[in-house]
Amino acid sequence: ILLLPHYYLCAKELKWPAPMAVTVLVASLVMSTEWLVYHWQMIQCSEHIAFLYVLTWLFLRRGQDTRAGLCIGVAMTLKLYPGVMAIMLLVGRRWRAFSTASATYLAVAATMTMKYGFVAWLQFLQQEKPITESWLGSLQNASLSGLVTQTLAPFCGPDYCGTHVDVGKWRSTIVSVISIMLLTVAALLSRATLKRALDVDRSAIDLPFALFSVLSIFLNPFAWEHYYTVLVHPLFIIVTLLFCTCRTVYQRWSDEKCSTETLLLTSSFGVACVASWGVVYLALSRDIWSPGRYIDLFWH
């Protein structure tokens, strides 16, 4: 149910033509993918988080920081990776949004702790540790942790007869260093734009929001196929910004305010982006379960 308002709000807010038609087309395209079927089969909440991301973005665009922080706080209670978005709020000096997000998460955590006791946190960490170590090296795991683990020990996941190679110290160190570097670079690149979004143009939040949305997934210990639903919103933003840039450059070229070289460079960049999106679509729409089905057929 959330897929339809999710895509409609994106198309409507970014002023796409015929937002209802765009909603139907995008929703149909998403529903045709195997990863959404996987989302349903695993009874996951990635679309819930993706929708909360969109609401956060809408509220930030309207200067309603308290509501934006509330949405991020609720998302953090479902999974921890939306905490990266709280870092974006901190970098952007959205103090009210950051405080509300933190207070929302802490209020829910305190309520649950009072109900189940602090031992519940310890039990969760104890039960989660062997599962995490087992699945970090899975070929399905496209996160930074998964890529580092697969590089250090290519055959350490449950995809290969349940074998496991201990790469804990090296993996944790490398992942921590790269994560800090990526967040630092993202903060430096976004700082001026976030300041402009706070002081001058609220719509300037778009690109930093898309950047941190993608990072929130990539820096999570796991990035399964159902997380792809969170990437649709950043794709809306990037397509819009690319189209507006190309249109502006063409108008300037028509008015002889920029050179033909600038027009050609911008057009080439646009074509390269479209080609890369085609590759991404093929990657996201592939049937990742077909090898397993073939193996099952072989053995039976």
Side-chain angles (χ1 to χ4, degrees):
I1 295 175
L2 289 177
L3 290 174
L4 296 177
H6 179 168
Y7 304 142
Y8 177 78
L9 290 173
C10 290
K12 184 71 173 179
E13 185 69 17
L14 294 171
K15 296 181 172 59
W16 282 40
M20 285 298 298
V22 171
T23 299
V24 173
L25 288 173
V26 175
S28 300
L29 189 64
V30 169
M31 289 181 184
S32 68
T33 60
E34 287 289 331
W35 55 263
L36 190 66
V37 176
Y38 179 57
H39 189 309
W40 288 330
Q41 289 176 338
M42 300 304 294
I43 318 177
Q44 282 291 338
C45 56
S46 294
E47 174 55 30
H48 306 75
I49 295 174
F51 187 69
L52 287 168
Y53 273 27
V54 171
L55 292 181
T56 302
W57 169 69
L58 288 174
F59 290 138
L60 290 175
R61 264 178 152 246
R62 288 161 171 72
Q64 300 173 346
D65 287 12
T66 301
R67 296 181 180 181
L70 182 63
C71 291
I72 287 297
V74 173
M76 289 167 58
T77 66
L78 299 176
K79 300 271 187 178
L80 283 178
Y81 69 81
V84 173
M85 304 306 294
I87 296 177
M88 183 206 69
L89 298 175
L90 196 60
V91 174
R93 297 184 301 172
R94 312 297 279 254
W95 311 122
R96 185 175 299 178
F98 177 79
S99 301
T100 305
S102 303
T104 301
Y105 175 78
L106 291 175
V108 174
T111 302
M112 294 300 178
T113 303
M114 291 173 59
K115 176 67 176 179
Y116 298 105
F118 186 77
V119 68
W121 294 97
L122 301 178
Q123 290 177 348
F124 170 76
L125 295 175
Q126 183 180 5
Q127 294 172 0
E128 191 71 10
K129 183 178 179 180
I131 299 175
T132 301
E133 291 179 347
S134 174
W135 282 98
L136 270 177
S138 170
L139 291 177
Q140 289 179 252
N141 186 12
S143 69
L144 175 62
S145 298
L147 294 177
V148 171
T149 304
Q150 294 162 25
T151 302
L152 295 177
F155 302 100
C156 66
D159 300 306
Y160 298 96
C161 306
T163 57
H164 174 68
V165 179
D166 186 12
V167 291
K169 290 184 178 180
W170 283 105
R171 181 192 65 224
S172 300
T173 302
I174 295 173
V175 170
S176 299
V177 170
I178 296 177
S179 298
I180 293 173
M181 290 175 59
L182 288 175
L183 286 173
T184 302
V185 170
L188 292 175
L189 291 176
S190 304
R191 185 170 56 181
T193 308
L194 288 170
K195 186 177 186 302
R196 183 158 59 91
L198 182 63
D199 300 333
V200 181
D201 181 15
R202 289 174 179 171
S203 64
I205 193 68
D206 293 357
L207 203 55
F209 196 94
L211 174 61
F212 278 89
S213 296
V214 175
L215 278 180
S216 69
I217 299 175
F218 187 59
L219 299 183
N220 190 45
F222 299 107
W224 305 123
E225 291 86 348
H226 53 79
Y227 285 19
Y228 295 160
T229 185
V230 183
L231 301 178
V232 177
H233 175 221
L235 191 58
F236 263 102
I237 292 174
I238 295 171
V239 170
T240 303
L241 290 176
L242 180 63
F243 174 78
C244 292
T245 301
C246 292
R247 182 180 60 183
T248 301
V249 171
Y250 177 75
Q251 290 174 345
R252 293 184 61 201
W253 177 79
S254 300
D255 297 334
E256 298 183 353
K257 293 182 179 179
C258 74
S259 63
T260 303
E261 181 182 357
T262 301
L263 176 65
L264 291 176
L265 287 175
T266 305
S267 301
S268 301
F269 179 73
V271 171
C273 287
V274 172
S276 66
W277 291 332
V279 173
V280 170
Y281 170 71
L282 291 175
L284 297 185
S285 60
R286 69 190 177 95
D287 186 357
I288 51 93
W289 297 109
S290 57
R293 288 196 287 266
Y294 292 147
I295 293 174
D296 289 340
L297 287 173
F298 174 79
W299 286 110
H300 290 86

